Amino acid sequence: MDVFLQTLVAGVLKGGLYALIGIGMTLIMGVMGIINLAHGQLMMVAMYITYILHVAGVDPYISLFVAMPALFLLGCVIQRYLLNPLLKVETILPENQVLMTVGIGMVLTEVVRFIFKSDYKSVSTDYSNATFFLGNISFSVALTISFLIAIAFTVAMFFFLIKTDIGRSIRATAQDKDAAVLMGVNTGRITIVTFGLGSALVAAAGSLLAPVFYVFPDIGGPFTARAFIITILGGLGSTVGAIFGGVTLGLAESFGATYISMDYENIIGMTIFVLVLLFLPGGFKRLTKV
Amino acid sequence: MVFALVLSMLLINAAEAANIKVGIVLPLTGEQAKFGEIEKRSFQMAAEEINAKGGVNGNKLELLFEDDTGKPDVGRSAVEKLISREKVPVLTGAYSSSVTAAITAVAQQFKVPFLVTTGSADEVTEKKYDYVFRINPPASEYPSAVISFLQDVVKPRTAVILFENSLFGQSSSKSFEADCNKMGIKVLTKEGYNKGAVDFKPLLTKVKAQNPDLVYMVSYVMDAALLMRQAKELNFNPKVYIGGGAGFTLPEFQKNAGPAAEYVYSATLWVESVPYPGAMDYFKRYRAKYKEDTEYHGAEAYASLYVVADALKRAKSITPKDVRDALAATNMMTAFGPVKFVSYGKKTQQNKLPTFMVQWQKGSLETVWPKEVAKKKYVFPVPEWSKRK
């Protein structure tokens, strides 16, 4: 029983973090139809910002307030100067924005490697290894906090999209770009803001992950892949769906590791991905309706 | 005018002829670049020393580095380039086992001698390639010091083996399982994981429930650190944790694992305090030059170039065939230990070396076994996590 509960806890906590990584991507994908394959690499950049501030003596939870605006700006710049111009170009490949994001991801990785070399960095804080026990079940303090923050951000995003003007404009752009333009929405600006927001959210995930994981130029790739799976599981553009998607992936990986073998971690994620595409093509969004 | 041109070309040719090219393939970017960098710096240090002392019979060594990025296919084309375009008479380097396995095949096909520096999976020297040599002992022999330590001190009855699912991890874990069977230790679980995993807790929870005496892990540096940190978080207390080479001896392991690194044992091939001439000198000079610590991978690279230079000195001519024959006759002492290529079992042209046991004590890595070279007494039994300060 302890083994089961411990697996459950590990899966849910990891899932919260995954959800935060996924929300940013789902937002960008839902609004612009761009699969941002530089998503994990943006998170990596945020982790390096957290690392630099950590060396300067700033706590990772404080550096959240630096990493998020920094990545918001980086996201806006990428969208404004690298992705928007591609919208106007007619090519045989309608998805060349996607290809562009792959390139951006590589450039980010190599630029960071050029600056920091391929050394492993760690952001070790007092609470990096701290745990508390409920019965025999151990909870990682850092992961529990990041889980709560992830939930808070998701709720905030949800209300932002439902209640505010910009949020409504984002949803309008996602639903029908031409209609949104006719209704007076500056869709060009909305896409820029959305990419910035998506980047800021994944930056938050990066800052939260830094104390429990390690920092390295190449860690972006696997997280891009996970964000992609979560986005599909949750349904495009659905923040609530991203939470379900993230936790589902976290749980699947944990239970797979305990009851099958940790060797199959990636296979399990992909299997769920395929099953959802086959039987629930709209993702969990179809079930939750938001 | 034409005469001047011809003359200058002749001069350039003459200048080139004085250099002997050595092709070196290493992961200089990508996930394994950390090790590639340590090895590259050590190769350069050795080249500077050799050239300063007159090079190889008056000719300077010229190192040509190629980046394999940690991928076998990239390594393959890098070696093909070195052989066909640069016409190198000898190759060395090679870090990861999967890349090494791919590129030794190319070297054999073109008949260019290749001294493998690391690439430690057993298979590398089990293919009867007569142009492939290896200075690093095969992965299956890493635990030789561990085995005597287990038999003399720990006397465990059950074991769990965790390994990263790479050629190196599979090869090492398979042979350690066989060693356990020989020693009468029951292997409760032998399980792989994909490197770069975020969360080892489910895996550790499962093996904790089996209550093993010994946990043996074959992991790179950051997986190693996470495994230990999360084992501490779970308050998982086997009698000993032992790392089977690779990541557990690096300074980054201790930096990242922090207090969770304490008392962890590891097998290693080389520590700076080994009783080989030049070992400590190499360590000190590396630290003075690069302001960073080095470890066994660097020592291997450093020794590799000395072995290559020695073979080039003895070779009848600088052609791949003659260099191969000279390498095969190698019998010398290096900072990494004695080097002599022998064939035994399924292996050919393989260097044999003893291994050592180290333990993290108060944040520094101490050699604790075998007793002849031990600098500190091993800490055993290891205190439980919850009873430490």
Side-chain angles (χ1 to χ4, degrees), chain B residues 118-148:
Chain B
T118 307
S120 58
D122 282 49
E123 291 85 332
V124 171
T125 45
E126 285 178 351
K127 292 182 181 147
K128 308 268 177 268
Y129 287 165
D130 56 345
Y131 276 78
V132 174
F133 303 80
R134 180 164 60 188
I135 192 163
N136 191 107
S140 64
E141 287 167 25
Y142 283 21
S144 60
V146 174
I147 288 166
S148 61

Side-chain angles (χ1 to χ4, degrees), chain B residues 43-310:
Chain B
F43 273 120
Q44 283 169 332
M45 226 172 90
E48 281 164 26
E49 289 171 20
I50 293 166
N51 287 338
K53 283 184 204 139
V56 172
N57 305 332
N59 301 324
K60 293 234 178 313
L61 283 182
E62 183 189 347
L63 305 186
L64 300 175
F65 289 99
E66 284 289 330
D67 183 7
D68 64 37
T69 72
K71 298 192 184 83
D73 50 326
V74 183
R76 247 183 119 78
S77 49
V79 169
E80 278 166 5
K81 182 182 152 198
L82 285 171
I83 293 173
S84 57
R85 200 181 312 163
E86 303 287 352
K87 308 260 186 284
V88 294
V90 58
L91 290 157
T92 182
Y95 171 74
S96 100
S97 294
S98 352
V99 178
T100 311
I103 60 186
T104 49
V106 182
Q108 176 67 24
Q109 186 193 338
F110 288 96
K111 299 215 179 303
V112 175
F114 187 178
L115 174 60
V116 175
T117 299
T118 307
S120 58
D122 282 49
E123 291 85 332
V124 171
T125 45
E126 285 178 351
K127 292 182 181 147
K128 308 268 177 268
Y129 287 165
D130 56 345
Y131 276 78
V132 174
F133 303 80
R134 180 164 60 188
I135 192 163
N136 191 107
S140 64
E141 287 167 25
Y142 283 21
S144 60
V146 174
I147 288 166
S148 61
F149 181 73
L150 288 178
Q151 283 173 331
D152 293 1
V153 182
V154 185
K155 302 186 177 73
R157 265 180 299 178
T158 52
V160 160
I161 303 172
L162 308 177
F163 61 97
E164 59 155 41
N165 204 353
S166 64
L167 185 56
F168 170 69
Q170 287 169 348
S171 178
S172 321
S173 61
K174 206 159 67 182
S175 65
F176 189 73
E177 189 183 25
D179 291 332
C180 281
N181 290 337
K182 258 183 254 158
M183 286 185 282
I185 301 170
K186 196 169 167 231
V187 177
L188 301 171
T189 299
K190 171 169 165 273
E191 192 164 311
Y193 62 83
N194 297 309
K195 66 176 174 199
V198 185
D199 193 6
F200 292 97
K201 274 196 181 170
L203 176 62
L204 288 168
T205 309
K206 179 168 72 176
V207 296
K208 184 188 171 186
Q210 295 174 328
N211 196 20
D213 287 341
L214 158 72
V215 175
Y216 187 82
M217 295 161 289
V218 185
S219 308
Y220 279 115
V221 57
M222 284 296 155
D223 292 332
L226 281 183
L227 272 167
M228 287 317 302
R229 268 163 58 175
Q230 294 176 358
K232 180 170 181 275
E233 283 176 25
L234 290 170
N235 193 24
F236 173 25
N237 292 299
K239 279 186 186 164
V240 283
Y241 284 101
I242 299 180
F248 289 86
T249 51
L250 288 178
E252 280 86 354
F253 167 68
Q254 203 276 333
K255 243 187 267 167
N256 201 271
E262 195 66 8
Y263 304 132
V264 173
Y265 290 92
S266 179
T268 191
L269 305 179
W270 182 89
V271 280
E272 62 270 22
S273 56
V274 289
Y276 302 135
M280 200 42 134
D281 278 353
Y282 157 73
F283 182 78
K284 282 186 184 151
R285 254 177 287 145
Y286 186 98
R287 197 153 62 175
K289 196 168 156 83
Y290 300 111
K291 311 277 175 284
E292 256 179 36
D293 279 353
T294 177
E295 38 87 66
Y296 80 80
H297 294 96
E300 265 168 23
Y302 182 78
S304 290
L305 198 66
Y306 272 98
V307 172
V308 167
D310 176 70

Side-chain angles (χ1 to χ4, degrees), chain A residues 82-276:
Chain A
L82 298 175
L83 296 178
N84 271 352
L86 286 181
L87 280 173
K88 296 168 197 139
V89 186
E90 278 206 21
T91 60
I92 42 167
L93 280 175
E95 280 81 23
N96 53 6
Q97 288 170 316
V98 176
L99 301 181
M100 178 61 127
T101 62
V102 174
I104 293 169
M106 288 177 181
V107 169
L108 289 176
T109 307
E110 295 309 318
V111 167
V112 167
R113 197 197 316 283
F114 181 73
I115 302 171
F116 294 95
K117 300 222 216 86
S118 277
D119 288 345
Y120 294 101
K121 314 278 189 197
S122 52
V123 179
S124 39
T125 55
D126 302 339
Y127 49 81
S128 283
N129 295 319
T131 43
F132 62 91
F133 282 83
L134 289 181
N136 280 327
I137 310 303
S138 110
F139 288 75
S140 153
V141 172
L143 272 180
T144 310
I145 296 174
S146 74
F147 179 78
L148 295 176
I149 295 180
I151 298 286
F153 270 120
T154 314
V155 172
M157 266 321 286
F158 184 69
F159 281 104
F160 171 78
L161 288 175
I162 300 284
K163 298 282 179 197
T164 64
D165 271 357
I166 300 180
R168 289 200 187 98
S169 307
I170 290 176
R171 283 192 298 140
T173 312
Q175 276 169 15
D176 190 332
K177 206 166 192 171
D178 294 332
V181 171
L182 292 175
M183 294 299 127
V185 174
N186 183 346
T187 53
R189 201 173 61 105
I190 288 300
T191 53
I192 295 172
V193 171
T194 311
F195 205 102
L197 274 177
S199 309
L201 285 169
V202 84
S207 291
L208 294 173
L209 184 61
V212 285
F213 203 49
Y214 49 88
V215 189
F216 191 59
D218 289 291
I219 59 174
F223 287 99
T224 301
R226 286 195 180 109
F228 184 65
I229 295 175
I230 293 161
T231 306
I232 302 297
L233 291 186
L236 309 185
S238 164
T239 49
V240 178
I243 282 268
F244 278 101
V247 173
T248 307
L249 183 63
L251 282 175
E253 283 185 2
S254 291
F255 278 99
T258 303
Y259 294 104
I260 306 173
S261 164
M262 201 160 164
D263 249 354
Y264 302 132
E265 203 174 52
N266 296 343
I267 301 175
I268 288 162
M270 290 318 263
T271 309
I272 292 191
F273 177 71
V274 171
L275 288 179
V276 165

